[in-house]
């Protein structure tokens, strides 16, 4: 007998859904309880989409698992939803039994579904090491920083700089590309795996969002081929692709990226003399140099010791007034460098202190529209200044 008949199930076409992208039916708690499980998710959730892919590929009927929005419970921060997932995140799977329980976190939900419905549809290769490794790399090193593509401000995982997070995301895609098999429709060959359903929704994000930040939408070679082929040849992946893109287009139409640095906001001011110093076109007496900060002696010193500290990437910091949360890391690093310079007696500082000055705008006496700190010392400073 068919597994679904034994489970008293109905066809996948009867999946109950919501107006946010799965359909038009909103359900009360009484209706929700008629299903053995409830998956709380919305179409734009890439982590939730991996769970949806498993349900779609197993043709899971609605009396086994319903998919509804957390908004049906009042939202992610509502008391009712927090009782299911104290983290207030999506997705979350509710097990509607005599002793109800819930499972947060998409990977855990997927593994539960793979085990609970092991005899229904594809297995998703639970013991395939490449699949598990791809899923793990995705969860540890990509989803933790993916906010750099759509959040207004850092932090993005361990990164306080959007550009560095994007660079790391690209590096992780290169690492995963090395794990992709050369043959077969899916990442590990002819059979769909947990790695496929974990990575695919996030790649939809990447392909849609990278160009907004001036990045190419073209993926590493094997991932690009896999992505295009799986959309073309697997109806369930194509369905999720459409779900996510529809939601992302609504984000874009609503101006989501208009005020995000490197997307809607970019540094469009002209280059300055500092850019020429950074590029090596103009010589300077450099006292400190790393990937983010450059410090050099002022050619017209206002004190026995006078050093300028600048960010190598201006990143819209033509003046201090343009500083935002995106600049927290570089501003902090500039202060640390300035502090170290102020202790360096070989540069003429006394070791008894120094003055740090940031001129901001015309009234502040700023001459070069590229944020810079003056570190002055070698004598006792007077107050008030200028």
């Amino acid at each position: 007998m068919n597994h679904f008949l034994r489970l008293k199930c109905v066809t996948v076409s009867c999946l109950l859904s919501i107006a946010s992208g799965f359909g038009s039916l909103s359900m009360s708690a009484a209706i929700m309880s008629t299903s053995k499980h409830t998956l709380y998710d919305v179409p734009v959730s890439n982590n939730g989409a991996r769970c949806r892919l498993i349900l779609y590929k197993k043709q899971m009927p609605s009396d086994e698992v319903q998919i509804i929005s957390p908004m049906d419970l009042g939202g992610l921060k509502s008391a009712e939803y927090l009782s299911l997932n104290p983290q207030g995140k999506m997705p979350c799977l509710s097990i509607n039994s005599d002793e109800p329980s819930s499972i947060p976190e998409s990977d855990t939900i997927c593994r539960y579904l793979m085990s609970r419905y092991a005899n229904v549809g594809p297995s998703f290769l639970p013991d395939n090491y490449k699949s598990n490794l791809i899923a793990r790399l995705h969860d540890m090193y990509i989803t933790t920083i993916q906010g750099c593509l759509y959040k207004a401000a850092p932090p993005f995982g361990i990164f306080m700089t959007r550009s560095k997070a994007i660079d790391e995301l690209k590096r992780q895609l290169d690492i995963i590309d090395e794990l992709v098999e050369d043959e077969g429709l899916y990442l590990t060959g002819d059979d769909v795996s947990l790695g496929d359903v974990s990575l695919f929704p996030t790649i939809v994000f990447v392909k849609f969002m990278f160009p907004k930040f001036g990045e190419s939408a073209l993926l590493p070679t094997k991932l690009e081929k896999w992505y295009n082929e799986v959309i073309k040849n697997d109806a369930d992946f194509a369905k999720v692709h459409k779900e996510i893109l529809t939601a992302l287009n609504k984000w874009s139409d609503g101006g989501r990226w208009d005020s995000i640095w490197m997307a809607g906001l970019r540094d469009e001011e002209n280059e300055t003399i500092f850019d020429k110093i950074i590029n090596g076109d103009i010589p300077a007496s450099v006292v400190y140099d790393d990937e983010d900060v450059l410090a050099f002696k002022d050619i017209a010193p206002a004190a026995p010791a006078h050093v300028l500290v600048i960010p190598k990437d201006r990143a819209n910091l033509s003046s201090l007034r343009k500083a935002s949360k995106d600049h927290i890391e570089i501003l902090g690093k500039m202060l640390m460098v300035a502090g170290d310079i102020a202790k360096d007696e070989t540069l003429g500082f006394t070791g008894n202190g120094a003055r740090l000055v940031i001129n901001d705008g015309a009234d502040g006496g700023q001459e070069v529209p590229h944020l810079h700190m003056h570190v002055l010392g070698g004598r006792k400073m007077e107050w008030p200044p200028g």
Side-chain angles (χ1 to χ4, degrees), residues 104-175:
E105 302 301 329
S106 55
D107 183 75
T108 307
I109 294 170
C110 286
R111 294 180 189 277
Y112 169 83
L113 294 172
M114 289 159 59
S115 174
R116 175 72 172 80
Y117 299 103
N119 296 322
V120 179
S123 70
F124 295 94
L125 309 181
D127 298 322
N128 184 288
Y129 85 91
K130 279 193 174 181
S131 167
N132 288 328
L133 179 55
I134 289 170
R136 181 66 172 173
L137 292 174
H138 169 266
D139 291 353
M140 287 295 295
Y141 305 114
I142 294 180
T143 61
T144 53
I145 62 173
Q146 69 179 31
C148 67
L149 298 177
Y150 56 83
K151 288 187 176 180
F156 312 116
I158 64 173
F159 296 97
M160 287 298 296
T161 304
R162 193 181 306 273
S163 59
K164 289 183 179 180
I166 291 175
D167 287 344
E168 177 62 16
L169 201 159
K170 291 190 293 184
R171 191 178 78 88
Q172 293 299 329
L173 292 178
D174 286 334
I175 292 172

Side-chain angles (χ1 to χ4, degrees), residues 43 54 102 111 127 205 249 315 320 381:
I54 286 180
S102 59
R111 294 180 189 277
D127 298 322
F205 272 35
N249 278 315
L320 185 60
M381 298 292 159

Side-chain angles (χ1 to χ4, degrees), residues 153-307:
F156 312 116
I158 64 173
F159 296 97
M160 287 298 296
T161 304
R162 193 181 306 273
S163 59
K164 289 183 179 180
I166 291 175
D167 287 344
E168 177 62 16
L169 201 159
K170 291 190 293 184
R171 191 178 78 88
Q172 293 299 329
L173 292 178
D174 286 334
I175 292 172
I176 291 176
D177 192 64
E178 293 295 322
L179 297 171
V180 180
E181 293 291 342
D182 293 324
E183 302 296 331
L185 178 61
Y186 301 103
L187 293 173
T188 59
D190 293 327
D191 297 318
V192 65
S193 70
L194 179 63
D196 290 281
V197 299
S198 298
L199 185 62
F200 178 79
T202 301
I203 297 299
V204 181
F205 272 35
V206 168
K207 296 281 282 185
F208 183 87
M209 298 178 194
F210 261 20
K212 295 183 180 297
F213 296 90
E215 300 288 343
S216 172
L218 194 65
L219 300 168
T221 305
K222 288 190 283 187
L223 282 178
E224 181 73 17
K225 178 184 176 183
W226 160 76
Y227 178 79
N228 292 324
E229 289 297 313
V230 81
I231 292 173
K232 179 181 177 181
N233 295 293
D234 189 307
D236 297 312
F237 280 78
K239 178 180 180 179
V240 165
H241 178 256
K242 183 178 180 180
E243 287 175 355
I244 296 174
L245 275 188
T246 299
L248 291 179
N249 278 315
K250 289 181 180 178
W251 275 12
S252 189
D253 292 343
R256 174 91 184 207
W257 285 272
D258 291 354
S259 59
I260 290 181
W261 170 241
M262 293 178 61
L265 296 178
R266 299 195 181 188
D267 189 342
E268 297 178 345
E269 295 197 37
N270 294 329
E271 288 189 348
T272 72
I273 189 173
F274 289 167
D275 294 292
K276 294 179 180 180
I277 292 174
I278 293 167
N279 295 331
D281 298 329
I282 294 178
S285 181
V286 174
V287 301
Y288 182 88
D289 186 4
D290 68 18
E291 63 176 340
D292 299 312
V293 175
L294 184 70
F296 49 91
K297 293 181 179 179
D298 196 305
I299 59 172
H306 188 172
V307 173

Side-chain angles (χ1 to χ4, degrees), residues 339-361:
D340 286 339
I341 288 171
K343 295 182 288 188
D344 190 342
E345 296 184 15
T346 67
L347 296 174
F349 294 94
T350 64
N352 292 321
R355 175 166 290 169
L356 179 62
V357 176
I358 299 177
N359 297 323
D360 187 62

Side-chain angles (χ1 to χ4, degrees), residues 355-382:
R355 175 166 290 169
L356 179 62
V357 176
I358 299 177
N359 297 323
D360 187 62
D363 287 353
Q366 183 178 4
E367 296 179 351
V368 181
H370 184 136
L371 180 70
H372 51 286
M373 296 177 176
H374 297 260
V375 187
L376 303 110
R379 63 171 171 81
K380 185 175 178 59
M381 298 292 159
E382 301 296 329

Side-chain angles (χ1 to χ4, degrees), residues 298-316:
D298 196 305
I299 59 172
H306 188 172
V307 173
L308 298 180
V309 180
I310 67 172
K312 283 188 169 180
D313 181 359
R314 184 173 61 183
N316 210 37

